[in-house]
Amino acid sequence: MIPRASFLRRHVDSLTEKILTRWSSGWRDALASAIAAALAWILAYHFFGHAHPVFAAISAVVCLAPGLPSHGKQAVGLMVGVATGILVGEAALLLPDGYPLLRIGFATFSAISIAALYGLGAVVPIQAGVSAVLMLAVGPETAGVVRMLDVLVGAGVGLVFSQVLLTPNPIGIIDTSAKELLEKLARGFSKCQQALEENDSDKAKNAVLLFSTAHDSLITLENGISNARNTARWTLRGRFASREVKDIANRYERHAVRLYASSLLFSEAFADALRKKQGSPPASLHERIANVAGGCAAIANDNEKPMLLPVEPSQIEDAVSAPWQLCLQHMSTVESALVTFGFTTQNDANKTADPSSGLKSV
């Protein structure tokens, strides 16, 4: 049974890590939103003479706020939604004025329904409905052309920031997420190595918990792949690297789940084998665990590519107990999956050293 203090400490550490991760991924967009809002206000004030261009600043924030899958798509959707709401609001002003609530309800329903037909995201019907309500509530002098100009300024500033000044590297998005996953796996395999050296089944159980926490990083990687694809589709910088992004995203998408699952299965089989104490561990297991742990850490830290240890068939077929055989099987699956994440094999090294593919150099 896990002590209460240890349980609370682990959850506090996990919560702290999540908060720091969210802060690191959101503070840049928050800063960009603040700068863009001030810039949009200044531009709308000087170029159009709007005394209080609130909508320009708000539009910049709506386009650049943290957590959006695509800032460019958000900016386009904002402009389309506002334009739709203004047009519907202008048409609603032609209706009889005797029932204002009925007119607002009809205009809102119509604007949202029309905007939903575009299929451009939630921001479009939301802004269409808001614009229609504002048109009827405060009048076209404030919510009509004036607001549209402010929105164009704010969205334009947002597009400049998202497309030119602060465009993320889509390949870097995937790499960062993959490195986070590899770092957690490296800690898990290091704990397995320590448990094997000390023959400590409790530490093997802790390793299982470490691998379990890597699930959050797997979800982060999946979100990173989605963000990278959106970046490649909706930004200028992303379009230049769209083909490479597609290849990397497809490769990681296929193998990341396999790597996580095989690592978790290995840790569970390893803990079970160490607990049952049925025979000695395979002679090669310690070196293979150390190689995988060090390799995961090396890739996560941008060091040179690690090489998988060549394993002879005789090593796998050693007379070991069934629990250790299961460990070796899962370890082989882990090593196979890691090739996708940057590991090299002995065959790759031989090809690099001898381009003639096996011919002896003179």
Side-chain angles (χ1 to χ4, degrees):
M1 185 174 181
I2 301 175
R4 181 179 177 85
S6 176
F7 177 81
L8 292 175
R9 183 170 60 254
R10 187 168 64 250
H11 279 270
V12 169
D13 292 343
S14 176
L15 179 60
T16 302
E17 183 179 359
K18 289 180 180 179
I19 291 175
L20 292 176
T21 300
R22 291 167 185 168
W23 166 254
S24 64
S25 64
W27 74 268
R28 293 180 180 84
D29 288 340
L31 180 60
S33 299
I35 297 174
L39 181 60
W41 182 291
I42 293 171
L43 291 176
Y45 176 81
H46 284 285
F47 284 97
F48 300 117
H50 298 170
H52 300 285
V54 176
F55 294 122
I58 291 176
S59 299
V61 172
V62 171
C63 293
L64 296 174
L68 295 174
S70 171
H71 296 298
K73 186 177 181 180
Q74 182 83 348
V76 173
L78 173 65
M79 290 186 289
V80 172
V82 170
T84 300
I86 289 175
L87 291 176
V88 172
E90 288 279 5
L93 289 173
L94 302 177
L95 297 176
D97 196 20
Y99 303 95
L101 295 181
L102 181 62
R103 186 165 65 175
I104 288 179
F106 176 77
T108 304
F109 172 79
S110 300
I112 293 176
S113 299
I114 293 172
L117 299 176
Y118 304 153
L120 294 179
V123 68
V124 182
I126 290 173
Q127 289 297 326
V130 170
S131 297
V133 170
L134 288 174
M135 279 287 295
L136 298 176
V138 301
E141 296 80 8
T142 302
V145 176
V146 172
R147 181 166 184 257
M148 191 67 215
L149 290 175
D150 280 353
V151 169
L152 289 174
V153 171
V157 172
L159 283 173
V160 171
F161 272 71
S162 64
Q163 300 292 307
V164 181
L165 300 180
L166 297 177
T167 303
N169 178 8
I171 298 175
I173 295 174
I174 300 177
D175 286 342
T176 301
S177 303
K179 288 174 183 176
E180 180 183 333
L181 174 63
L182 289 168
E183 285 175 353
K184 289 189 176 181
L185 294 182
R187 291 198 292 269
F189 283 112
S190 296
K191 182 63 71 173
C192 288
Q193 180 185 357
Q194 186 179 2
L196 185 61
E197 292 172 348
E198 301 176 8
N199 195 24
D200 190 336
S201 59
D202 289 333
K203 289 186 177 179
K205 293 179 182 179
N206 290 336
V208 176
L209 295 177
L210 286 175
F211 282 110
S212 298
T213 60
H215 184 261
D216 291 339
S217 298
L218 178 64
I219 295 176
T220 300
L221 176 58
E222 293 173 348
N223 292 335
I225 291 173
S226 178
N227 291 339
R229 284 174 171 159
N230 281 325
T231 301
R233 181 181 179 185
W234 289 94
T235 67
L236 296 176
R237 181 180 183 181
R239 287 195 172 274
F240 288 118
S242 59
R243 179 168 298 181
E244 188 176 1
V245 170
K246 181 180 179 181
D247 293 339
I248 295 176
N250 290 338
R251 186 166 68 249
Y252 279 3
E253 200 169 40
R254 289 196 303 269
H255 297 286
V257 175
R258 177 171 171 243
L259 173 60
Y260 167 75
S262 59
S263 299
L264 182 60
L265 289 173
F266 166 79
S267 68
E268 292 175 344
F270 174 78
D272 184 63
L274 205 60
R275 178 181 58 83
K276 290 181 177 178
K277 302 184 184 299
Q278 295 182 4
S280 300
S284 64
L285 185 58
H286 182 278
E287 190 175 4
R288 291 172 72 180
I289 293 176
N291 181 57
V292 169
C296 289
I299 296 177
N301 295 323
D302 289 324
N303 295 336
E304 57 184 50
K305 291 184 178 181
M307 183 182 299
L308 289 175
L309 292 174
V311 181
E312 299 296 333
S314 59
Q315 289 179 303
I316 300 178
E317 297 171 2
D318 282 341
V320 296
S321 62
W324 290 116
Q325 282 282 2
L326 186 60
C327 283
L328 291 177
Q329 292 174 12
H330 288 310
M331 174 56 73
S332 297
T333 307
V334 170
E335 292 169 337
S336 175
L338 281 171
V339 174
T340 306
F341 285 79
F343 277 65
T344 58
T345 62
Q346 188 65 49
N347 290 335
D348 296 331
N350 292 338
K351 290 179 182 179
T352 303
D354 185 3
S356 58
S357 300
L359 296 178
K360 291 183 179 181
S361 56
V362 180

